Amino acid sequence: MPKRTDIKKILIIGSGPIVIGQACEFDYSGTQACKVLKQEGYYVILVNSNPATIMTDPQTADRTYIEPITPEIVAKIIERERPDALLPTLGGQTALNTAVALAEMGVLKKYNVKTIGADIKSIKKAEDRRLFKEAMKKIGLEVPKSDKAYSLKQAHAVAEKIGFPVIIRPSFTLGGTGGSVAYNIEEFKELAKFGLESSMITEILIEESVIGWKEFELEVMRDGKDNVVIICSIENFDPMGVHTGDSITVAPVQTLTDKEYQIMRDASIACIREIGVDTGGSNIQFAVNPETGRMVVIEMNPRVSRSSALASKATGFPIAKIAAKLAVGFTLDEIPNDITRETPACFEPAIDYCVVKIPRFTFEKFPQADPTLTVSMKSVGEVMSIGRTFKEALQKAVRSLEIKKYGLESMLFPDPGAVSVSQETLDLIYSKLRIPNAERFFYIGDAFRAGMTVEAVHGLTKIDRWFLHNILEIIELEKVIVLNKPNFTRDVLLKSKEFGFSDVQLAKLTGLREEDISSLRVKWGIKPSFKIVDTCAAEFKAHTPYYYSSYDQSIS
Amino acid sequence: MNAILVLEDGMVFKGKRFGASGERFGEVVFNTSMTGYQEIVTDPSYKGQIITMTYTLIGNYGVNRDDTESRRPFVEGFVAKEFSAISSSWRSETSLDKYCAENNIVSIEGIDTRALTLHIREAGAMKAVLSTVDFDVNSLLRKVRAFPGLVGADLVKEVTSPKKYVWEEEKGRGSRYSVVVVDCGVKFNILRELAKRNCRVVVVPAQTTAQEILKMKPDGVLLSNGPGDPAAVGYVVETVQNLIGKVPIFGICLGHQMLGLAMGGKTFKLKFGHHGANHPVKDVHTGRVLITAQNHGFCVDIDTLNKKEIELTHENLNDHTAEGMRHKKLPIFSVQFHPEASPGPHDAEYLFDEFIDMF
């Protein structure tokens, strides 16, 4: 399908302010969209309250309004500019909410503005818990079990049916009493009673708890011809219970068989079709019970999201740019893959490396804030790294955090060669593992330094054993390095570099200087190689210079 | 270093042994699937080949009974950047390491698989030797150059079932239809997909004649996937020629190529083949794109077929090769890709329904 000629002027709602929970990802996606639509000859009107963004640079749009993103102001802009279409799926949640409000105010109808990307009905279907649950039921997908109760007796019956642990959410509370988790009947008795009392209508929602389940995300794209492709699969290191924005995440998925992955893929495709996102990207989150494999849908973002920005950089597939093209009528098979040039964008990227994202926190700037990680996002940014293995990518990512850690260094043992473990230390490790926090992955390293097993750490954290075992391998290599210090063999140095150890880190571990380590590397010919992010795992020639470094053994 | 991969053009990769010990010869190819290593290793189409996984971390979720695609693996060798030291999955029954050791799959890890892939892409799929016993490059080069390779080799006879059998994994599924599957190295998921659709599935050895097949009075005949050069299995092509016009036929992968030959067409070898789970294929009639699983080194030259009888139904969007065809008058169609997936997307599953609709 060629591009639409029935629309000429397009209004894009921009990213808004940078706040905790929303960094510059929507500036990235919005800017891409403006550029693409202008290139295609559309007149682009942009509204954004944040002048400190790339998208508000004068060349980006044809007309830029630096105004508050409220329905009233945007309505005035519509009145003045008379756009043919509104593209609300590239500016994050604020843009979606504003679009819904404009529709409800009758502004879109009055000025005959079409929404492109996703229509108001599908936005509501994805955002409203009840509508979403119904939609998922219709296509045979499970969501966490839940039911309402109006009395203690009823509550008991519901909890018994669902099974512990359960989440109790009182409806209509004064002062917004939040949900609570009951792990057994004793806790439940008390919390259900309290919940019913704090609800103005004596109603609680009892929901199956999926805390500790494995968490996954799929980035999906759909075009006007109903072609659907998965751009990227993401597995969370931190299980359910920690907001995705605060979780360490890994691409592609690591611990699903193809059978399970394809079920998730089918579910994502069914989901984007049922919700009715006509064109563009969506992000769908799943939880999987690690013991039984039962899969439930958690939520869907009918728009470009934080994860889309990550997925774009992780795969080389420009989601926002393609989403903008799809919104004006192009189909995936008509758009060339920028990187390979010869193959179309209608495919699923194959990656041949491991991507790790670690959130960046600044609790030191908010001394009053509780540093426990929960379902509300607390990070202020994130870093992403690419390595050939998870171990390499993880240690590279740690360095990018710029928190004076040069790899998976110890929190508790300044000299990893002399680890002594008191009960007090162990207690600290236990609590740091059990309660999610910004430094948890460092404490996992310390747990292994203190001699804990993968099983024990899994018991406390519920983090998948595969991730934990990889961290254990890093710590085991660290032990070998320390044991032989200050001497190195070529094999150990090469393996250390492959495992992502930095020269600084190795210098600290061996008591040598950083320069000594690098001269050893030079002497032994251990050098990084640079590999291309090409969307296709080297199957086709790549034309874009997007590289990552890696210590991968070179050929002889 | 205790394992070595030597390519016939002299390229050498030194790495670590994984799985079994020994020395194996084959054509080295790469597969870009990020999941499904178990299905790949157990796919009989890989007979004669050494598979390189382009995804770097393999073995993470172990091996289980249900995801096996054949009675035993036939692959010659297995190559990855890093094989997982542990298996993490509620379905895992054994580790990939153990599985490879027990099934005599010689494997190597710790090599730069991207460099190897780039080399195959540029130079084409080629003969290689994977060894954990001989590390003398000159000796290995001599041996690999003496190895005959795949062109013209009948590998079907090595993987086909020695006896006729009825597929019984899906017991109690009913048996409204009867389908004969000509086993040239069939993947179990083809049988599962048919059984799911109410078929009684009889699997016959590749050497079975058309007469013997027709005697069973099947509602349809499926020509399976399989390894090697389609031009080397003249006896199956002859069987197909004798089936044409007498029974509905569905060909998959090698089955598609043999059908092409039976209808008078020619096949050719691709530079490095299609092996992966992300190949876009356009349905020529609907214009819709399917993301498909593929695993083939040979291809039907659609221009060598009679256009009055045969039409192209599917086209590969990456290199525009033929991915599917159909007879204009007879109930015969075939695809180059794998509608049974396993591993890979389910986008093309509906083709099994189209096959049933022909009965």
Side-chain angles (χ1 to χ4, degrees):
Chain A
M1 254 171 272
K3 72 178 184 204
R4 287 174 72 158
T5 49
D6 60 327
I7 47 180
K8 298 205 163 47
K9 282 172 132 185
I10 300 172
L11 174 66
I12 294 180
I13 304 180
S15 58
I18 288 173
V19 292
I20 292 179
Q22 176 178 312
C24 54
E25 59 265 22
F26 302 117
D27 186 21
Y28 166 78
S29 53
T31 307
Q32 296 256 324
C34 289
K35 278 189 189 166
V36 166
L37 297 179
K38 257 182 84 167
Q39 250 169 36
E40 291 300 336
Y42 294 99
Y43 186 85
V44 177
I45 307 146
L46 172 71
V47 50
N48 193 0
S49 59
N50 184 355
T53 55
I54 306 291
M55 66 165 74
T56 48
D57 284 359
Q59 311 82 357
T60 311
D62 292 293
R63 196 87 192 217
T64 303
Y65 286 85
I66 298 181
E67 295 286 350
I69 304 175
T70 62
E72 293 73 23
I73 300 284
V74 179
K76 277 192 194 152
I77 296 170
I78 289 176
E79 189 187 349
R80 181 156 159 198
E81 291 286 343
R82 303 296 170 99
D84 303 301
L86 168 66
L87 181 55
T89 51
L90 295 157
Q93 197 57 42
T94 320
L96 276 194
N97 294 348
T98 309
V100 172
L102 287 167
E104 280 168 357
M105 285 158 65
V107 176
L108 300 183
K109 206 171 167 196
K110 184 172 168 196
Y111 296 104
N112 196 20
V113 183
K114 306 173 188 74
T115 48
I116 53 175
D119 63 16
I120 302 298
K121 211 176 101 201
S122 36
I123 296 171
K124 281 189 176 164
K125 223 171 168 180
E127 302 277 319
D128 182 304
R129 293 302 305 165
R130 191 180 55 83
L131 293 178
F132 185 71
K133 196 176 165 181
E134 273 169 20
M136 291 306 100
K137 207 172 155 191
K138 194 176 152 201
I139 52 174
L141 296 180
E142 285 192 65
V143 293
K145 289 179 232 164
S146 68
D147 214 342
K148 282 177 186 156
Y150 303 90
S151 70
L152 262 183
K153 203 178 149 202
Q154 230 176 355
H156 279 247
V158 173
E160 222 143 86
K161 201 174 73 197
I162 291 175
F164 290 104
V166 293
I167 294 170
I168 300 151
R169 298 185 202 279
S171 318
F172 295 98
T173 56
L174 275 178
T177 309
S180 54
V181 188
Y183 288 89
N184 52 54
I185 188 79
E186 280 71 40
E187 284 176 12
F188 180 75
K189 272 181 192 161
E190 219 162 283
L191 293 167
K193 185 164 171 275
F194 178 72
L196 285 166
E197 281 166 4
S198 55
S199 164
M200 295 195 314
I201 54 167
T202 328
E203 177 189 291
I204 51 173
L205 180 76
I206 302 164
E207 198 180 66
E208 175 184 20
S209 164
V210 290
I211 291 175
W213 287 27
K214 291 153 80 90
E215 187 172 352
F216 299 92
E217 284 177 77
L218 260 55
E219 286 294 317
V220 193
M221 293 213 92
R222 184 184 187 205
D223 70 15
K225 257 197 308 197
D226 198 23
N227 294 313
V228 187
V229 292
I230 312 294
I231 304 306
C232 187
S233 65
I234 300 172
E235 177 163 353
N236 288 17
F237 174 91
D238 298 286
M240 290 295 296
V242 176
H243 191 283
T244 309
D246 286 351
S247 293
I248 296 176
T249 61
V250 180
V253 298
Q254 302 295 336
T255 64
L256 288 182
T257 66
D258 185 67
K259 295 284 174 294
E260 294 137 21
Y261 172 69
Q262 297 304 337
I263 290 169
M264 207 172 266
R265 182 182 181 277
D266 290 347
S268 304
I269 294 172
C271 187
I272 196 169
R273 285 186 175 143
E274 175 58 30
I275 296 299
V277 176
D278 297 329
T279 65
S282 286
N283 154 273
I284 301 159
Q285 292 174 23
F286 297 91
V288 171
N289 183 317
E291 262 97 52
T292 63
R294 185 171 153 239
M295 179 185 90
V296 296
V297 184
I298 299 301
E299 65 168 15
M300 177 209 204
N301 285 308
R303 57 174 168 84
V304 166
S305 65
R306 181 185 319 103
S307 299
S308 322
L310 178 72
S312 296
K313 291 178 185 116
T315 60
F317 189 102
I319 294 177
K321 181 178 165 182
I322 305 286
K325 287 203 174 196
L326 300 181
V328 292
F330 288 103
T331 54
L332 284 162
D333 53 321
E334 291 170 342
I335 305 169
N337 178 338
D338 284 343
I339 291 185
T340 63
R341 290 188 193 159
E342 278 162 31
T343 60
C346 194
F347 80 119
E348 303 196 341
I351 67 184
D352 59 352
Y353 43 81
C354 180
V355 180
V356 173
K357 174 213 93 175
I358 305 183
R360 176 70 155 88
F361 299 89
T362 48
F363 286 115
E364 71 279 5
K365 290 185 181 155
F366 302 96
Q368 310 294 321
D370 173 12
T372 303
L373 303 185
T374 65
V375 289
S376 312
M377 188 167 154
K378 292 177 178 173
S379 64
V380 296
E382 59 193 34
V383 301
M384 186 196 95
S385 76
I386 302 180
R388 293 288 279 167
T389 63
F390 171 69
K391 294 179 276 280
E392 185 180 43
L394 179 71
Q395 297 223 71
K396 278 175 84 175
V398 171
R399 284 193 280 287
S400 304
L401 285 170
E402 299 188 341
I403 51 169
K404 300 204 170 65
K405 294 273 184 205
Y406 297 91
L408 201 68
E409 295 184 77
S410 177
M411 298 295 284
L412 300 170
F413 311 116
D415 178 6
V419 173
S420 70
V421 192
S422 64
Q423 189 55 45
E424 218 181 344
T425 313
L426 272 184
D427 288 345
L428 177 65
I429 293 177
Y430 290 160
S431 81
K432 289 289 185 186
L433 295 192
R434 210 177 45 240
I435 303 159
N437 59 85
E439 285 102 23
R440 181 156 74 167
F441 61 102
F442 288 115
Y443 286 101
I444 291 170
D446 278 342
F448 292 133
R449 286 184 187 96
M452 282 175 71
T453 61
V454 164
E455 222 32 61
V457 176
H458 171 73
L460 289 163
T461 59
K462 302 289 176 225
I463 293 169
D464 192 277
R465 294 171 182 88
W466 185 84
F467 292 119
L468 296 177
H469 196 273
N470 271 276
I471 293 180
L472 175 66
E473 286 176 41
I474 294 174
I475 303 302
E476 281 175 344
L477 182 59
E478 181 189 277
K479 275 186 195 153
V480 172
I481 296 163
V482 171
L483 209 67
N484 294 309
K485 78 174 183 181
N487 297 315
F488 256 124
T489 61
R490 184 183 183 273
D491 280 354
V492 171
L493 184 54
L494 176 63
K495 194 172 172 188
S496 309
K497 298 308 289 182
E498 285 176 347
F499 274 31
F501 283 88
S502 64
D503 288 0
V504 181
Q505 204 179 349
L506 292 173
K508 282 196 203 167
L509 289 173
T510 52
L512 296 168
R513 292 172 309 161
E514 188 186 344
E515 304 88 272
D516 300 334
I517 306 283
S518 35
S519 1
L520 266 181
R521 284 203 294 107
V522 172
K523 190 175 117 194
W524 285 328
I526 301 171
K527 287 181 295 189
S529 58
F530 288 83
K531 293 180 158 50
I532 305 185
V533 173
D534 60 7
T535 72
C536 61
E539 188 172 0
F540 305 102
K541 195 168 165 39
H543 296 273
T544 42
Y546 177 14
Y547 291 88
Y548 66 96
S549 75
S550 168
Y551 284 85
D552 197 353
Q553 193 189 37
S554 46
I555 37 174
S556 50
Chain B
M1 194 274 284
N2 53 13
I4 187 167
L5 178 72
V6 176
L7 275 50
E8 65 174 315
D9 66 354
M11 196 124 185
V12 176
F13 293 86
K14 292 172 182 170
K16 256 175 61 193
R17 192 188 79 198
F18 181 84
S21 288
E23 194 164 291
R24 296 283 186 282
F25 297 86
E27 180 187 71
V28 61
V29 294
F30 63 85
N31 186 306
T32 60
S33 303
M34 294 180 285
T35 51
Y37 55 81
Q38 185 184 342
E39 292 90 332
I40 290 166
V41 163
T42 57
D43 178 348
S45 295
Y46 281 111
K47 172 74 196 165
Q49 292 181 323
I50 294 169
I51 316 167
T52 305
M53 298 303 289
T54 59
Y55 185 58
T56 47
L57 308 172
I58 300 296
N60 304 359
Y61 50 77
V63 174
N64 64 62
R65 209 167 306 155
D66 299 335
D67 296 353
T68 291
E69 282 300 325
S70 60
R71 64 188 186 281
R72 71 169 180 85
F74 292 95
V75 61
E76 305 297 337
F78 201 32
V79 182
K81 170 64 190 166
E82 181 181 280
F83 285 111
S84 179
I86 72 154
S87 319
S88 181
S89 168
W90 63 97
R91 291 171 62 218
S92 173
E93 289 164 69
T94 185
S95 70
L96 182 62
D97 189 14
K98 251 195 188 153
Y99 183 83
C100 286
E102 280 165 10
N103 288 280
N104 216 2
I105 303 171
V106 180
S107 313
I108 182 172
E109 66 171 330
I111 71 162
D112 186 342
T113 45
R114 185 171 168 95
L116 173 58
T117 304
L118 285 168
H119 187 68
I120 298 170
R121 182 185 87 198
E122 295 303 321
M126 65 180 81
K127 293 184 289 176
V129 55
L130 176 54
S131 184
T132 65
V133 288
D134 180 1
F135 302 108
D136 178 346
V137 173
N138 287 325
S139 142
L140 289 167
L141 263 177
R142 263 197 312 278
K143 285 189 260 186
V144 72
R145 284 174 183 157
F147 168 68
L150 297 193
V151 176
D154 176 10
L155 301 175
V156 167
K157 67 175 192 296
E158 299 183 41
V159 298
T160 187
S161 170
K163 290 191 306 216
K164 177 172 112 175
Y165 68 94
V166 179
W167 177 251
E168 288 193 346
E169 198 180 283
E170 254 77 8
K171 263 190 186 143
R173 287 270 195 182
S175 49
R176 251 182 87 190
Y177 311 106
S178 143
V179 174
V180 169
V181 174
V182 180
D183 179 13
C184 296
V186 70
K187 276 166 72 190
F188 282 173
N189 218 44
I190 292 178
L191 310 179
R192 293 184 194 116
E193 289 296 332
L194 291 170
K196 236 201 270 182
R197 289 168 175 79
N198 252 325
C199 295
R200 178 173 185 270
V201 183
V202 181
V203 183
V204 300
Q207 296 84 355
T208 312
T209 64
Q211 205 185 2
E212 287 167 311
I213 292 170
L214 292 170
K215 220 192 269 170
M216 292 181 239
K217 296 200 167 45
D219 293 304
V221 173
L222 189 142
L223 309 171
S224 87
N225 63 297
D229 187 347
V233 281
Y235 53 97
V236 188
V237 174
E238 196 188 316
T239 306
V240 178
Q241 278 168 337
N242 292 324
L243 290 172
I244 289 174
K246 292 168 189 149
V247 65
I249 302 174
F250 179 20
I252 294 175
C253 200
L254 180 68
H256 159 80
Q257 296 161 3
M258 293 185 306
L259 195 60
L261 293 174
M263 296 192 296
K266 285 196 166 63
T267 55
F268 63 97
K269 196 168 192 309
L270 295 162
K271 190 174 180 191
F272 52 86
H274 299 165
H275 310 276
N278 68 343
H279 288 79
V281 166
K282 188 173 230 164
D283 182 321
V284 175
H285 293 277
T286 63
R288 286 274 291 278
V289 180
L290 314 168
I291 304 299
T292 64
Q294 302 208 1
N295 176 27
H296 61 108
F298 293 86
C299 194
V300 173
D301 183 352
I302 197 78
D303 296 330
T304 60
L305 286 157
N306 182 352
K307 282 196 181 58
K308 282 186 198 133
E309 283 184 349
I310 314 296
E311 64 178 348
L312 180 78
T313 55
H314 296 83
E315 183 197 1
N316 189 304
L317 287 184
N318 285 340
D319 64 4
H320 306 286
T321 51
E323 289 287 351
M325 60 188 183
R326 151 169 93 191
H327 198 287
K328 286 183 175 169
K329 295 181 202 98
L330 301 169
I332 296 172
F333 75 114
S334 61
V335 286
Q336 182 59 73
F337 51 89
H338 290 269
E340 80 283 5
S342 202
H346 300 152
D347 292 10
E349 249 180 22
Y350 70 94
L351 291 169
F352 287 101
D353 298 320
E354 292 192 353
F355 180 43
I356 308 286
D357 288 344
M358 287 179 162
F359 299 168

